[in-house]
Amino acid sequence: MNTYHITLPMDKKTASTLRSGDTVFLTGPIYTGRDAAHQRMMAAIESGAPLPFDVANQLIYYVGPTPARPGHPVGSAGPTSSYRMDSYTGPLLDRGLTGMIGKGRRTPDLIRKMKETGAVYLGVTGGAAALVAQSIKSSRVIAYEDLGTEAIHYFEVEDFPVTVIIDSLGNNLYETGPAQYRRE
Protein backbone atom coordinates (compact mmCIF):
# COMPACT_ATOMS: atom_id res chain seq x y z
CA MET A 1 0.00 0.00 0.00
CA ASN A 2 1.27 3.40 -0.98
CA THR A 3 0.79 6.97 0.19
CA TYR A 4 0.08 9.74 -2.29
CA HIS A 5 -0.30 13.52 -2.15
CA ILE A 6 -2.63 14.60 -4.96
CA THR A 7 -3.39 18.11 -6.12
CA LEU A 8 -6.98 18.33 -7.35
CA PRO A 9 -8.77 18.21 -9.69
CA MET A 10 -7.91 14.54 -10.32
CA ASP A 11 -7.96 13.21 -13.86
CA LYS A 12 -8.62 9.59 -14.85
CA LYS A 13 -4.91 8.93 -15.43
CA THR A 14 -4.12 9.85 -11.82
CA ALA A 15 -7.13 7.89 -10.56
CA SER A 16 -5.89 4.82 -12.47
CA THR A 17 -2.64 4.80 -10.45
CA LEU A 18 -4.44 4.44 -7.12
CA ARG A 19 -5.01 1.02 -5.59
CA SER A 20 -7.40 -0.20 -2.96
CA GLY A 21 -5.83 0.35 0.46
CA ASP A 22 -3.65 3.30 -0.57
CA THR A 23 -3.61 6.39 1.63
CA VAL A 24 -4.15 9.68 -0.15
CA PHE A 25 -3.88 13.29 1.00
CA LEU A 26 -5.93 15.58 -1.23
CA THR A 27 -5.27 19.28 -1.78
CA GLY A 28 -7.53 21.49 -3.89
CA PRO A 29 -11.26 21.71 -4.70
CA ILE A 30 -13.86 19.17 -3.56
CA TYR A 31 -17.61 19.48 -4.04
CA THR A 32 -20.17 18.18 -1.57
CA GLY A 33 -23.50 16.52 -2.19
CA ARG A 34 -25.91 14.32 -0.32
CA ASP A 35 -29.24 12.72 -1.18
CA ALA A 36 -31.30 15.84 -1.85
CA ALA A 37 -28.57 17.50 -3.95
CA HIS A 38 -28.14 14.32 -5.99
CA GLN A 39 -31.88 14.16 -6.60
CA ARG A 40 -31.78 17.72 -7.97
CA MET A 41 -28.76 17.00 -10.12
CA MET A 42 -30.55 13.98 -11.61
CA ALA A 43 -33.59 16.14 -12.32
CA ALA A 44 -31.31 18.62 -14.11
CA ILE A 45 -29.76 15.84 -16.21
CA GLU A 46 -33.19 14.41 -17.08
CA SER A 47 -34.51 17.81 -18.14
CA GLY A 48 -31.38 18.74 -20.10
CA ALA A 49 -30.50 21.58 -17.73
CA PRO A 50 -26.85 22.20 -16.82
CA LEU A 51 -25.44 20.82 -13.59
CA PRO A 52 -24.44 23.40 -10.96
CA PHE A 53 -20.76 22.60 -11.62
CA ASP A 54 -18.79 20.69 -14.24
CA VAL A 55 -18.29 17.25 -12.69
CA ALA A 56 -15.49 16.22 -15.08
CA ASN A 57 -12.32 15.32 -13.16
CA GLN A 58 -13.96 16.28 -9.85
CA LEU A 59 -14.64 14.54 -6.54
CA ILE A 60 -17.93 14.66 -4.64
CA TYR A 61 -17.77 14.29 -0.88
CA TYR A 62 -20.94 12.85 0.65
CA VAL A 63 -21.22 15.24 3.58
CA GLY A 64 -23.61 17.73 5.08
CA PRO A 65 -21.27 19.99 7.04
CA THR A 66 -22.58 21.54 10.22
CA PRO A 67 -22.53 25.34 10.53
CA ALA A 68 -19.14 26.87 11.14
CA ARG A 69 -18.05 28.27 14.47
CA PRO A 70 -16.61 31.79 14.30
CA GLY A 71 -13.20 31.73 12.64
CA HIS A 72 -13.71 28.33 10.97
CA PRO A 73 -14.84 27.52 7.41
CA VAL A 74 -17.08 24.61 8.51
CA GLY A 75 -18.22 22.81 11.60
CA SER A 76 -18.17 19.06 11.75
CA ALA A 77 -17.70 17.46 8.31
CA GLY A 78 -18.01 13.70 8.65
CA PRO A 79 -19.04 11.43 5.78
CA THR A 80 -22.51 10.05 5.26
CA SER A 81 -23.35 6.53 4.07
CA SER A 82 -22.49 6.38 0.39
CA TYR A 83 -24.90 3.67 -0.76
CA ARG A 84 -27.74 6.21 -0.63
CA MET A 85 -26.21 7.99 -3.64
CA ASP A 86 -25.56 4.84 -5.70
CA SER A 87 -28.70 5.10 -7.83
CA TYR A 88 -27.78 8.70 -8.79
CA THR A 89 -24.06 8.29 -9.40
CA GLY A 90 -23.93 6.53 -12.79
CA PRO A 91 -24.98 9.59 -14.83
CA LEU A 92 -22.36 11.69 -13.03
CA LEU A 93 -19.67 9.11 -13.78
CA ASP A 94 -20.77 9.20 -17.44
CA ARG A 95 -20.15 12.96 -17.36
CA GLY A 96 -16.57 12.51 -16.11
CA LEU A 97 -16.82 12.43 -12.32
CA THR A 98 -13.52 10.93 -11.18
CA GLY A 99 -14.45 9.87 -7.69
CA MET A 100 -16.60 9.92 -4.64
CA ILE A 101 -15.69 10.31 -0.96
CA GLY A 102 -17.82 8.77 1.77
CA LYS A 103 -18.17 5.77 4.02
CA GLY A 104 -19.61 2.31 3.66
CA ARG A 105 -20.17 -0.18 0.89
CA ARG A 106 -21.23 0.47 -2.71
CA THR A 107 -23.56 -1.65 -4.85
CA PRO A 108 -22.18 -4.13 -7.40
CA ASP A 109 -23.84 -2.16 -10.23
CA LEU A 110 -22.06 1.03 -9.19
CA ILE A 111 -18.73 -0.78 -8.87
CA ARG A 112 -19.15 -2.07 -12.44
CA LYS A 113 -19.87 1.49 -13.59
CA MET A 114 -16.76 2.74 -11.75
CA LYS A 115 -14.64 0.18 -13.60
CA GLU A 116 -16.23 1.18 -16.90
CA THR A 117 -15.54 4.88 -16.33
CA GLY A 118 -12.23 4.65 -14.43
CA ALA A 119 -13.52 6.20 -11.21
CA VAL A 120 -12.43 5.62 -7.61
CA TYR A 121 -14.22 5.52 -4.27
CA LEU A 122 -12.36 7.10 -1.37
CA GLY A 123 -13.22 6.56 2.27
CA VAL A 124 -13.14 8.89 5.23
CA THR A 125 -13.15 7.45 8.71
CA GLY A 126 -16.56 7.86 10.30
CA GLY A 127 -16.37 9.49 13.73
CA ALA A 128 -13.43 11.69 12.74
CA ALA A 129 -15.57 14.62 11.56
CA ALA A 130 -13.85 17.28 13.66
CA LEU A 131 -10.42 16.06 12.55
CA VAL A 132 -11.44 15.98 8.88
CA ALA A 133 -12.83 19.52 9.15
CA GLN A 134 -9.33 20.75 10.00
CA SER A 135 -8.28 19.95 6.42
CA ILE A 136 -11.05 22.16 4.98
CA LYS A 137 -9.56 25.61 4.46
CA SER A 138 -12.57 27.33 2.90
CA SER A 139 -16.20 26.57 2.13
CA ARG A 140 -18.99 28.25 0.21
CA VAL A 141 -22.40 27.15 -0.99
CA ILE A 142 -22.57 27.06 -4.80
CA ALA A 143 -26.01 25.50 -5.40
CA TYR A 144 -29.31 24.54 -3.79
CA GLU A 145 -28.86 26.86 -0.80
CA ASP A 146 -32.43 26.09 0.29
CA LEU A 147 -31.28 22.57 1.22
CA GLY A 148 -29.28 23.89 4.18
CA THR A 149 -26.47 21.52 5.10
CA GLU A 150 -27.38 19.36 2.09
CA ALA A 151 -26.66 22.23 -0.34
CA ILE A 152 -23.73 21.76 -2.69
CA HIS A 153 -20.61 23.29 -1.16
CA TYR A 154 -17.28 24.05 -2.75
CA PHE A 155 -14.47 23.15 -0.35
CA GLU A 156 -10.82 24.03 -0.68
CA VAL A 157 -8.95 21.31 1.19
CA GLU A 158 -5.35 20.78 2.21
CA ASP A 159 -3.97 17.33 3.01
CA PHE A 160 -7.49 15.93 3.31
CA PRO A 161 -6.93 12.31 4.45
CA VAL A 162 -8.69 9.49 2.58
CA THR A 163 -8.18 5.80 1.89
CA VAL A 164 -8.82 4.22 -1.50
CA ILE A 165 -11.68 1.83 -0.81
CA ILE A 166 -12.51 0.82 -4.40
CA ASP A 167 -10.00 1.47 -7.16
CA SER A 168 -10.67 1.92 -10.87
CA LEU A 169 -10.11 -1.82 -11.42
CA GLY A 170 -12.88 -2.70 -8.96
CA ASN A 171 -10.60 -3.93 -6.15
CA ASN A 172 -12.60 -3.42 -2.97
CA LEU A 173 -10.96 -2.95 0.43
CA TYR A 174 -14.18 -4.06 2.13
CA GLU A 175 -13.56 -7.49 0.57
CA THR A 176 -9.78 -7.75 0.41
CA GLY A 177 -9.11 -6.32 3.88
CA PRO A 178 -11.10 -8.89 5.87
CA ALA A 179 -9.87 -11.69 3.58
CA GLN A 180 -6.32 -11.05 4.80
CA TYR A 181 -7.34 -12.04 8.32
CA ARG A 182 -9.64 -15.00 7.66
CA ARG A 183 -8.51 -18.33 8.96
CA GLU A 184 -8.67 -21.18 6.51
Side-chain angles (χ1 to χ4, degrees), residues 37-53:
H38 276 74
Q39 289 171 355
R40 288 204 185 161
M41 287 191 289
M42 290 312 100
I45 289 170
E46 290 167 5
S47 71
L51 291 171
F53 66 97

Side-chain angles (χ1 to χ4, degrees), residues 112-125:
R112 278 190 289 281
K113 187 63 148 178
M114 289 172 57
K115 288 170 56 178
E116 177 186 312
T117 60
V120 294
Y121 173 49
L122 308 170
V124 173
T125 303

Side-chain angles (χ1 to χ4, degrees), residues 24-121:
V24 182
F25 294 92
L26 303 169
T27 297
I30 293 176
Y31 295 88
T32 71
R34 288 183 51 148
D35 313 53
H38 276 74
Q39 289 171 355
R40 288 204 185 161
M41 287 191 289
M42 290 312 100
I45 289 170
E46 290 167 5
S47 71
L51 291 171
F53 66 97
D54 182 1
V55 299
N57 296 320
Q58 300 299 333
L59 300 176
I60 294 181
Y61 180 24
Y62 303 140
V63 62
T66 63
R69 296 185 326 260
H72 297 273
V74 296
S76 180
T80 194
S81 298
S82 301
Y83 74 90
R84 296 194 326 250
M85 272 55 74
D86 284 3
S87 64
Y88 307 116
T89 302
L92 299 174
L93 294 173
D94 288 337
R95 284 160 178 75
L97 184 70
T98 307
M100 300 77 53
I101 304 169
K103 68 176 182 181
R105 295 184 179 274
R106 307 310 295 265
T107 62
D109 285 343
L110 182 63
I111 295 170
R112 278 190 289 281
K113 187 63 148 178
M114 289 172 57
K115 288 170 56 178
E116 177 186 312
T117 60
V120 294
Y121 173 49

Side-chain angles (χ1 to χ4, degrees), residues 132-154:
V132 169
Q134 292 175 15
S135 296
I136 301 167
K137 301 306 176 187
S138 69
S139 171
R140 63 182 162 82
V141 173
I142 63 159
Y144 315 140
E145 187 171 0
D146 63 301
L147 296 178
T149 61
E150 288 204 36
I152 294 179
H153 293 75
Y154 173 91

